[in-house]
Each structure stands twice: as C-alpha cells, then as structure tokens.
Amino acid sequence: MPTAIVTGSGGLIGSEAVRHFAALGYDVVGIDNDMRSRFFGPHASTAPTTSRLVADLGDAFTPLVADIRDADTIREIVATHRSTLELVVHAAAQPSHDWAFDNAQTDFAINANGTLNLLESVRHEQPDATFVHLSTNKVYGDQPNALPVTETPTRLELPADHRYFGGIDTSMPLDRSMHSIFGVSKAAADLMVQEYGRQFQMPTVCFRGGCLTGPAHAGTKLHGFLSYLMRCTITGEAYTIIGYDGKQVRDNIHSADVVRAMELFHRAPTAGAVYNLGGGRENSVSVLEAIELCEAISGKGLSRTTVPTPRAGDHRWYVTDLTELRRDYPTFRPTIGVGQILQEIHDVNRDAWERTPSDVGRAA
C-alpha cells in the first residue's frame, strides 16, 4: 500500500488530509506534537482530534509525536517509509501573527527551518514523492491593502471593474510590504518549497491559503476566524472586532475542499507549482456578515466590542482568484458555502463548547 506522511496531522487541514487519503487506500503516518496547545492554551489542543483519528481509522493511521524542527528525527521517519512513500502533506505550522510577534525565533524555526528539514529529508530519501505545502496569502504582506476598496454598510469592496474584483492571483507582489513576523517565516518556507521543485525537479506545490476552516478547527482568539466567532456566539464570551469596524473581507474554504485540491495536484503533479487557494468571491464574507450568520444559526446574540486599530499588516480585503488553479485542474471548485461551513461548525461543536465556556479566548 502507498504511504502518505502528514505533518500537523491533528490540525484542521492535517486531520482532513489523514481521513481523505486513508479512505483512498493510503497508509497514513501523522506527525504532530500538539504545539497548538502551547501556542494558544489547552482548549486549542489537537490531542482529541488525534485520538478520534486513531479510533476511526485503526491500522490505516500511525500517529507519531515528533517535532519538525528536529532534522534527524524527520529524516529517520521519511527514510523508514521511503519504499512506499508517495505523498507528503506539510500542514504543520505556527499559524498566528500575534504569537509570532513575541516569539520570532520559535516561529521561524517551525515555519521555515521545519519546512527545510522536510524538504531535505524527502529530497534525499524519496524525491519522487509529491510534496504539498500549506502556505498562506500572508506571503503577500499588506500589499492587498493598497487596493482601492470602498465602504458599504456591511463590508469593504472593490469596484466591479477592478482587475482583482474576482479575486487576487499570484501576480500580487511579495516585496515592499509589511508581512508580520509570521508572514516572513511562511514566505521563506513557500519560496524554499518552490526552489526545491525547480532545483531538484521535485513535484512540489505551495497552496497559498486564505481562511481555511471547518468543523475540526480548534479556533482561538489568535487564530481561527469562523470557528472562534461561532464559539463566542455559543458560549456568550465577548468577541473583539479588531479594526476596520468589522468590514474587513475574507474568503473562506472548507478543509474538505482544500484536501480535494491536494488530491488533484497529486494525481497530476508538476515541479515548483504555486497557487492561491480559497473560497473565492462566492465564499467571501466580512466579520459583520459572519456575525449575522452565526447569530441566525445559533439563535443567540453575540456580545462584541470593537478595537479601532487593526493588527499590523492585517488585510482589509482579500478574495482569492482561483483561475490559475482551475486552468490546470479544471474540475476544482469549492463545494461548501459559508453558511454550510458555519452550520457544520455549530452542529459538531455546540455541545462541547456549551460545557466549557470558560476556555474561550485563553491564550498561551
């Protein structure tokens, strides 16, 4: 049987990838050391998700506690499975702007050096394995904030005749912008993945994700927009809107659709590919619009406050253009809308969140 290695296997995208490729007949080896609980507190732990994967998948899933910063251990894991290794999904990361601000060394070691450790291991042990890297639209820094958005009652919006009205493609520049410490570490990893593809003709891809979400997301104040918003709505904890009066716009994509994109690339890979990946204009929503949806789904009002100053480099408006991805993989399109995503988040997590309201927003 073929083997897939998934880093961050207890996280949102990692766990979705584990289930997806196990269902396709892969022996899946997961790498996760639950650092999310150290970043954001015990309520953000990935351990419960890992336990569910073990219970549901049995012998098809082998969880390993390992740190991607440990080059020797990662090399050993890859070497152990090289004879059957066909796919590496790299979803492990430190994902928060705010956390990285005070922990730059750790952030860079995980996001940049950890990625390099994986690339080197795969290059030397099984360079034909498809390498899928979960990058981020934060590699563009605050360049999107130069777009000429206008204000409507519920959102910021681009003029309909603007070239990026349908979404931002990979022509958006990376230079001369504020990235945040997190954005820099992810940009370094993104470029290195592309470079290994080109230098060594390895089948690699960077998916520059927008708001990746779904019911398995352990949303927190510092990371996980829709999940954390629904959690606050259910528990009654106050939600803080940071900047732009809540009119900032994001496009959201369900984790199942993210993993579908991975599979399509794996079936027909190229060297050094890069795509923007998000829900597109149809799945775009402002904070204010998302609050309205959460309140309608839960039947509860959200207690909220507003901080006028946005996070440094935070995007005012970001919608993904999927044209480049659809050009190469014409069958791809997001299948799950924002309303359905929020309904799933609510239905899957409501009972647990109602039992543990005091955990909301606790940070490491």
Side-chain angles (χ1 to χ4, degrees):
M1 295 177 69
T3 298
I5 292 176
V6 179
T7 72
S9 55
L12 170 70
I13 303 302
S15 63
E16 191 81 56
V18 168
R19 291 186 182 278
H20 185 87
F21 289 104
L24 292 177
Y26 284 77
D27 284 328
V28 183
V29 176
I31 297 174
D32 197 304
N33 62 349
D34 198 17
M35 280 199 75
R36 191 176 177 88
S37 64
R38 292 164 59 186
F39 299 147
F40 309 129
H43 65 286
S45 173
T46 58
T49 299
T50 300
S51 296
R52 287 193 294 271
L53 291 172
V54 170
D56 294 346
L57 300 179
D59 293 341
F61 175 56
T62 302
L64 300 177
V65 178
D67 192 323
I68 60 172
R69 293 173 292 178
D70 184 342
D72 291 339
T73 297
I74 295 302
R75 179 74 176 266
E76 181 180 350
I77 292 170
V78 174
T80 298
H81 299 281
R82 63 186 169 195
S83 63
T84 56
L85 182 62
E86 292 188 2
L87 172 65
V88 175
V89 175
H90 179 32
Q94 190 298 111
S96 169
H97 296 270
D98 302 283
W99 196 92
F101 185 83
D102 294 315
N103 300 274
Q105 292 275 12
T106 302
D107 173 80
F108 198 87
I110 293 170
N111 291 348
N113 294 341
T115 301
L116 179 58
N117 290 339
L118 281 160
L119 287 166
E120 272 289 276
S121 297
V122 174
R123 173 197 168 197
H124 288 289
E125 301 296 342
Q126 183 47 275
D128 293 331
T130 303
F131 192 102
V132 176
H133 174 58
L134 265 295
S135 187
T136 171
N137 61 22
K138 302 307 184 292
V139 301
Y140 298 118
D142 64 359
Q143 286 279 9
N145 287 353
L147 297 175
V149 295
T150 58
E151 189 171 342
T152 76
T154 63
R155 62 160 57 193
L156 299 173
E157 188 56 277
L158 272 183
D161 60 352
H162 194 278
R163 62 168 294 191
Y164 286 144
F165 177 77
I168 293 170
D169 59 31
T170 57
S171 68
M172 176 65 68
L174 274 64
D175 297 325
R176 296 181 177 86
S177 63
M178 178 184 290
H179 287 76
S180 80
I181 300 299
F182 160 77
V184 170
S185 66
K186 290 294 287 185
D190 181 304
L191 293 172
M192 191 63 79
V193 172
Q194 292 185 60
E195 196 65 21
Y196 268 63
R198 293 187 174 95
Q199 288 276 357
F200 305 113
Q201 286 301 297
M202 292 169 57
T204 70
V205 62
C206 295
F207 284 121
R208 292 175 175 168
C211 281
L212 315 182
T213 190
H217 209 174
T220 75
K221 185 175 182 179
L222 299 184
H223 183 254
F225 163 45
L226 290 185
S227 176
Y228 177 63
L229 182 57
M230 180 61 81
R231 182 171 179 144
C232 287
T233 308
I234 289 172
T235 63
E237 185 79 8
Y239 181 84
T240 301
I241 297 172
I242 303 176
Y244 309 125
D245 294 323
K247 295 184 179 182
Q248 58 268 53
V249 170
R250 302 287 185 272
D251 65 322
N252 301 270
I253 184 168
H254 194 286
S255 53
D257 286 326
V258 173
V259 174
R260 285 180 52 250
M262 293 180 187
E263 181 190 346
L264 288 170
F265 180 83
H266 178 49
R267 291 184 183 279
T270 56
V274 56
Y275 301 103
N276 289 350
L277 180 62
R281 173 159 282 280
E282 296 81 0
N283 270 16
S284 69
V285 67
S286 71
V287 174
L288 292 180
E289 291 164 351
I291 288 173
E292 185 176 350
L293 286 169
C294 286
E295 291 179 330
I297 290 168
S298 67
K300 297 181 178 182
L302 175 70
S303 173
R304 61 184 188 261
T305 59
T306 300
V307 174
T309 304
R311 293 184 176 97
D314 198 25
H315 292 157
R316 298 188 299 168
W317 184 95
Y318 193 96
V319 172
T320 303
D321 184 346
L322 294 166
T323 302
E324 293 165 313
L325 180 58
R326 288 175 174 169
R327 176 198 63 206
D328 295 342
Y329 303 95
T331 62
F332 178 79
R333 57 187 37 82
T335 62
I336 305 173
V338 174
Q340 185 180 346
I341 290 171
L342 283 169
Q343 187 70 59
E344 285 188 21
I345 292 172
H346 173 274
D347 294 349
V348 169
N349 297 289
R350 178 186 57 192
D351 292 345
W353 287 345
E354 287 179 339
R355 288 194 301 268
T356 57
S358 62
D359 283 341
V360 177
R362 186 186 303 165

